[in-house]
Amino acid sequence: MTQPSVILATASYDHTIRFWEAKSGRCYRTIQYPDSQVNWLEITPDKRYLAAAGNPHIRLFDINSSSPQPVMSYDSHTNNVMAVGFQCDGKWMYSGSEDGTVKIWDLRAPGCQREYESRGAVNTVVLHPNQTELISGDQNGNIRVWDLTANSCSCELVPEVDTAVRSLTVMWDGSLVVAANNHGTCYVWRLLRGNQTMTNFEPLHKLQAHNGYILKCLLSPEFCEPHRYLATASSDHTVKIWNVDGFTLEKTLIGHQRWVWDCVFSVDGAYLITASSDTTAKLWSMTSGEEIKTYQGHHKATVCCALHDGAEPSPS
């Protein structure tokens, strides 16, 4: 199979993962996922594999194959895996789970390489652009920084006691981190390097973004510069786009009929893709705020999406 230059995948409570032609909206491949719902999708940096986080496993699928079987399964979590991501060269993977742990996996070997205890169900994990710190947020409202070099927790924050941190996002240059919670609030910190290697959080802004839950917050990518945006997807059926300079509301994306669970920017920040309980995913123009395309085919809530539209991987 020749690989499409843009890879868009969605997953739904209907126990399927679908691959789409982003421009035409045609679904060209469906993978059955009978074991559980899928909570998160992530494409490897080289565009070769799609990781699907379920309960309690992570499965890796070959994007270029038509085989419905995963090429690898990672199995040591004991509850819903809520977040998965990859180190920039794709050497290792990280995950966070409702079992209260953050784990690191060597992709070439089965079994988990490292494990960190968060003492609360982990909802979100992001990798700092320095590739040496993971930041996790949990159901009890804790944000923790895991220093991979020292192999320990280097920082703990509780922006709002007993209010679940739903989603975390870090600016591509490591300058900002945003945490979104169940009260519709975003907390923004400037990230400062301390005298050692440890990152310090300096409170910058508190944004009352939605009246409902924020299910995903996401900062725009590097090639979006000089514009910097924050997208917040909410249970109030909308996605809001904020200008990071002053955190003013730029536009509200209206069109979904139910909760919006996930969103992802195109590599240049010109488009946003969203996934919603109304069973659809949508493609939006960031300049106009208009809906360009609807991806229809799932039969139940579409809860996560992944997009890789970057440069073609160079043949190794």
Side-chain angles (χ1 to χ4, degrees):
M1 253 169 67
T2 56
Q3 188 177 29
S5 59
V6 175
I7 295 159
L8 169 61
T10 57
S12 160
Y13 280 165
D14 65 12
H15 292 271
T16 65
I17 298 167
R18 288 177 175 261
F19 288 90
W20 307 84
E21 278 176 358
K23 285 198 178 85
S24 72
R26 183 180 76 91
C27 174
Y28 65 88
R29 181 183 174 197
T30 304
I31 298 173
Q32 300 298 322
Y33 202 95
D35 301 340
S36 75
Q37 83 275 10
V38 176
N39 303 307
W40 187 273
L41 291 173
E42 193 78 20
I43 296 164
T44 54
D46 64 5
K47 282 192 184 181
R48 287 181 60 193
Y49 300 103
L50 175 76
N55 184 2
H57 36 251
I58 303 160
R59 305 258 197 265
L60 209 59
F61 293 92
D62 187 332
I63 287 174
N64 301 315
S65 148
S66 54
S67 163
Q69 297 307 316
V71 291
M72 188 74 131
S73 186
Y74 303 90
D75 291 324
S76 74
H77 280 299
T78 57
N79 204 330
N80 274 307
V81 182
M82 301 304 287
V84 171
F86 296 95
Q87 181 257 359
C88 62
D89 301 325
K91 289 194 173 69
W92 46 268
M93 174 174 77
Y94 60 87
S95 60
S97 163
E98 288 181 347
D99 65 13
T101 65
V102 173
K103 292 181 190 269
I104 291 181
W105 314 79
D106 182 332
L107 289 176
R108 298 165 302 237
C112 149
Q113 273 25 71
R114 291 193 199 171
E115 180 177 308
Y116 301 107
E117 284 284 343
S118 185
R119 301 192 297 280
V122 177
N123 292 327
T124 173
V125 186
V126 287
L127 178 60
H128 190 290
N130 63 22
Q131 308 294 307
T132 62
E133 291 171 304
L134 286 172
I135 309 171
S136 68
D138 70 25
Q139 196 64 19
N140 301 342
N142 303 302
I143 295 171
R144 292 195 170 87
V145 180
W146 307 95
D147 181 334
L148 305 182
T149 319
N151 209 13
S152 64
C153 177
S154 61
C155 177
E156 289 192 33
L157 288 169
V158 185
E160 220 171 299
V161 179
D162 289 338
T163 304
V165 177
R166 277 277 178 175
S167 182
L168 288 164
T169 178
V170 185
M171 187 59 86
W172 64 269
D173 59 2
S175 60
L176 294 177
V177 65
V178 180
N181 72 16
N182 270 356
H183 288 164
T185 313
C186 285
Y187 288 88
V188 186
W189 293 271
R190 196 178 272 118
L191 288 182
L192 304 169
R193 281 258 163 242
N195 342 352
Q196 298 85 32
T197 53
M198 198 182 92
T199 295
N200 294 316
F201 286 68
E202 179 189 277
L204 189 65
H205 205 82
K206 181 181 172 182
L207 180 67
Q208 192 53 50
H210 297 267
N211 292 328
Y213 301 134
I214 298 177
L215 304 164
K216 176 77 178 268
C217 63
L218 189 63
L219 287 160
S220 56
E222 177 178 359
F223 299 110
C224 194
E225 298 288 319
H227 304 293
R228 295 191 159 202
Y229 299 113
L230 170 71
T232 55
S234 169
S235 62
D236 68 10
H237 310 179
T238 70
V239 179
K240 292 186 180 177
I241 307 297
W242 308 85
N243 190 325
V244 169
D245 183 25
F247 288 92
T248 49
L249 182 62
E250 287 267 321
K251 46 184 72 85
T252 304
L253 309 184
I254 296 169
H256 279 301
Q257 306 300 312
R258 307 277 298 274
W259 290 24
V260 186
W261 286 96
D262 200 4
C263 61
V264 58
F265 281 103
S266 61
V267 70
D268 58 1
Y271 301 97
L272 188 78
I273 287 179
T274 54
S276 164
S277 291
D278 65 13
T279 76
T280 70
K282 289 182 186 289
L283 173 69
W284 307 82
S285 158
M286 285 290 290
T287 26
S288 70
E290 297 297 313
E291 176 189 319
I292 300 170
K293 182 82 49 202
T294 297
Y295 304 94
Q296 273 174 314
H298 285 298
H299 308 300
K300 290 187 178 173
T302 306
V303 289
C304 48
C305 52
L307 175 72
H308 195 325
D309 61 337
E312 287 302 299
S314 54
S316 48

